[in-house]
Every structure is written in structure tokens, then in C-alpha cells.
Amino acid sequence: TMHLEIVTPDKKVFQGEVSEATFPGALGAFQVLANHAPIVSALAKGPVSFTTSEGKQSFQVEGGVVEVKQNTIVVLAEKVVD
């Protein structure tokens, strides 16, 4: 599994273990699985979706940055729309 954190300038939106995550990359959607190579990518407006032990979850982000390193994913979102 991987550790995912989604944060905005004012709060932490999600923190937990996920088996996969999909992001709205600036050049199109992309998926991250365990042991993914380290990347930093700009995010476009769109859904960040991921699978936890409880099932699929999703948040709409208004852009930002995602960093993947050693099975830790950190999303710095400008804004998250409920």
C-alpha cells in the first residue's frame, strides 16, 4: 500500500493508506500504483480518486501539485471542492 495525503492551504483533506490513486495531470489523467517511480507533476482541475480498504473515494481539486516518493503521495491542492 501507499500513504496518501491531500492538503490545501487551510486544511488536511485526507490522510491514509491507498492501493492506487488517479490524478488529473496537466497532460491528462495518470494512475499511481505501489512502487511507482518518484515524480512531481502539476495537477489540472479535476478528480483525484483513490482506493482505500473501504472502497473508492474521490475529491475534486482546482489544480495543484502531486509528489510521489517511496510509496508516499502528497497532493498540494490549491482548493478542494466537496
Side-chain angles (χ1 to χ4, degrees):
T1 62
M2 299 173 293
H3 186 75
L4 172 66
E5 277 187 40
I6 301 174
V7 295
T8 64
D10 40 333
K11 67 179 183 205
K12 187 171 284 186
V13 179
F14 175 85
Q15 177 174 325
E17 301 302 309
V18 301
S19 57
E20 62 81 34
T22 304
F23 301 98
L27 300 173
F30 65 95
Q31 184 182 43
V32 172
L33 299 168
N35 302 316
H36 195 287
I39 57 164
V40 174
S41 175
L43 295 177
K45 187 175 179 175
V48 169
S49 62
F50 50 92
T51 305
T52 66
S53 56
E54 282 102 56
K56 274 272 205 205
Q57 291 192 47
S58 181
F59 292 101
Q60 286 287 328
V61 298
E62 298 275 337
V65 176
V66 59
E67 181 183 17
V68 179
K69 193 165 84 181
Q70 295 170 337
N71 287 327
T72 298
I73 308 168
V74 178
V75 176
L76 304 172
E78 289 167 26
K79 186 178 174 193
V80 172
V81 186
D82 295 330

